[in-house]
Amino acid sequence: MNEILNLLLALVAGFLLGAAFFGGLWWTVQKGLSSRRPAFWFLGSLLIRTSIAISGFYFASDGHWERLLICMFGFFVMRQVVVRLTRLPDEDPNQLTKEASNAT
């Protein structure tokens, strides 16, 4: 029972890390596009987000590969959630495929 709780906590940690990482990426793109110094925003954000994610994986796994795997699963699930939440309403996911097929 204790191991199931540890795996569940690792999954929640993965969700939080994914939300922070990919939400931070979305926020950085919004700020960086309108900034006078976008390289500062993108490089700084990359360093901070990566440091948080790696540290979070380290502490959530606590030396157990199973916890690390579950944490990474939660991280990538949150990627999909953030992508869906931040998508523009008029954006067609198949538009790029249509444009690529017309290019030939």
Side-chain angles (χ1 to χ4, degrees):
M1 183 68 174
N2 194 18
E3 185 60 30
I4 293 173
L5 179 63
N6 287 334
L7 291 175
L8 186 61
L9 289 174
L11 181 64
V12 170
F15 288 152
L16 293 174
L17 289 171
F21 187 88
F22 296 109
L25 175 60
W26 178 79
W27 182 79
T28 300
V29 169
Q30 299 301 316
K31 293 293 274 186
L33 290 177
S34 63
S35 174
R36 290 181 157 194
R37 298 185 329 192
F40 171 76
W41 283 101
F42 289 109
L43 183 62
S45 173
L46 175 69
L47 293 175
I48 291 170
R49 288 181 297 111
T50 303
S51 299
I52 290 170
I54 290 175
S55 299
F57 287 141
Y58 176 78
F59 287 114
S61 70
D62 194 32
H64 296 90
W65 68 268
E66 300 91 353
R67 293 183 200 169
L68 178 62
L69 188 67
I70 294 293
C71 187
M72 291 178 74
F73 174 75
F75 184 82
F76 289 114
V77 166
M78 281 308 293
R79 178 191 178 274
Q80 295 299 321
V81 170
V82 170
V83 165
R84 287 184 190 257
L85 289 175
T86 57
R87 180 174 290 155
L88 296 175
D90 61 337
E91 207 173 279
D92 183 11
N94 295 323
Q95 184 65 27
L96 186 59
T97 306
K98 290 176 188 174
E99 289 176 7
S101 65
N102 290 335
T104 56

